[in-house]
Amino acid sequence: MKPKNIVFLGKSIDNYIAGKNGELDWLDMIPNPDQLDMGYNTLMNEVDAIIMGRTSFETVLGFDIEWPYTKPVFVLSHSLKTIPENLKDKVTLLNGNETDVLNTIHKKGFNNLYIDGGKVVQNFLKHDLIDELRLTTIPIILGDGIPLFDVLPMSLEFEHVKTEVFYNQIVQSCYKRKR
C-alpha cells in the first residue's frame, strides 16, 4: 500500500491556523461538553508517526501537559539542536528537504504520516506531498495570523470525501488528492 501524508488542522473561516502571536485559544471557543475528538482518534489509528515543525513542537511543549503523543514524532528544524531529555525516546530531530525527510522516515518503517504545523504543511503542499486534507473550521474570522496556505508553484486538485458538522457550528471537511 502506498504511503499516505495526512494534514489534520483546525482553521478559522479566513484560513488561519493560529493568531498573529501564535495564539490557539480560539480553537476551543465552542464548548465541547461531550469531549468529541472530531476525528482525532481515527487519525491516530491510521498513522504510524507524526511530522511537525519546530514552532508546533515548542507550542506543544508550552502546553504544560504530559507529552500527548503515543506515536513517534519527527520534528523538522534547521535551528533546533536538542530534544528535552525526557522526550529522547519519543521525538527525533530531522532537517533536510521534504523528500529526503520522507525517505528517512519511510526507511524506519513509518509510512502513514500526520503532517502538522503551518510551515511544514505549506512546504509539503509546495512539493505536492499531501495526500489528504482534514480541515476543521471554527466559526471565527481572525483577520490576521499564521495562514494555512501559502503561494504554490502549481494548482493542486483535491476531491471532497466528506463533511461533518459538530455542535451545529464546527465544520470538518475531508479531501483526497486527485492523482
Side-chain angles (χ1 to χ4, degrees):
M1 192 152 91
K2 180 183 170 307
K4 190 173 9 174
N5 297 326
I6 304 168
V7 171
F8 183 92
L9 284 174
K11 67 179 192 68
S12 63
I13 292 171
D14 52 349
N15 286 326
Y16 290 106
I17 59 171
K20 62 182 159 195
N21 297 311
E23 58 271 22
L24 299 171
D25 55 335
W26 56 275
L27 288 168
D28 297 320
M29 65 181 250
I30 307 295
N32 186 355
D34 304 320
Q35 296 301 302
L36 296 178
D37 75 342
M38 299 184 206
Y40 181 79
N41 289 332
T42 300
L43 171 75
M44 285 296 122
N45 289 330
E46 286 179 59
V47 300
D48 307 316
I50 301 162
I51 297 177
M52 68 174 60
R54 178 192 52 82
T55 303
S56 295
F57 177 64
E58 289 174 345
T59 299
V60 172
L61 290 178
F63 286 155
D64 198 28
I65 58 171
E66 288 288 316
W67 185 245
Y69 306 109
T70 56
K71 307 281 179 165
V73 173
F74 295 90
V75 176
L76 307 187
S77 176
H78 297 290
S79 60
L80 204 57
K81 300 298 179 218
T82 60
I83 295 294
E85 203 56 45
N86 63 321
L87 296 177
K88 292 236 189 262
D89 60 337
K90 298 175 174 124
V91 177
T92 303
L93 261 181
L94 292 176
N95 70 32
N97 71 49
E98 290 72 18
T99 306
D100 291 344
V101 163
L102 282 178
N103 287 336
T104 298
I105 293 170
H106 291 160
K107 283 179 186 161
K108 293 178 183 284
F110 305 113
N111 292 306
N112 295 322
L113 305 171
Y114 167 20
I115 311 301
D116 191 26
K119 284 288 177 215
V120 172
V121 168
Q122 289 174 1
N123 288 335
F124 272 63
L125 283 166
K126 282 179 186 170
H127 292 91
D128 195 10
L129 296 171
I130 298 297
D131 301 296
E132 289 185 26
L133 293 168
R134 299 178 189 178
L135 305 175
T136 304
T137 304
I138 309 300
I140 186 172
I141 295 175
L142 294 176
D144 193 6
I146 299 169
L148 171 56
F149 300 111
D150 195 8
V151 175
L152 295 174
M154 72 245 168
S155 296
L156 303 175
E157 283 189 58
F158 286 80
E159 59 184 301
H160 177 259
V161 175
K162 70 176 180 172
T163 295
E164 289 183 79
V165 179
F166 302 98
Y167 297 116
N168 206 30
Q169 299 184 67
I170 301 170
V171 179
Q172 184 177 82
S173 294
C174 302
Y175 304 90
K176 280 191 178 160
R177 180 75 172 94
K178 276 187 170 179
R179 299 280 179 196

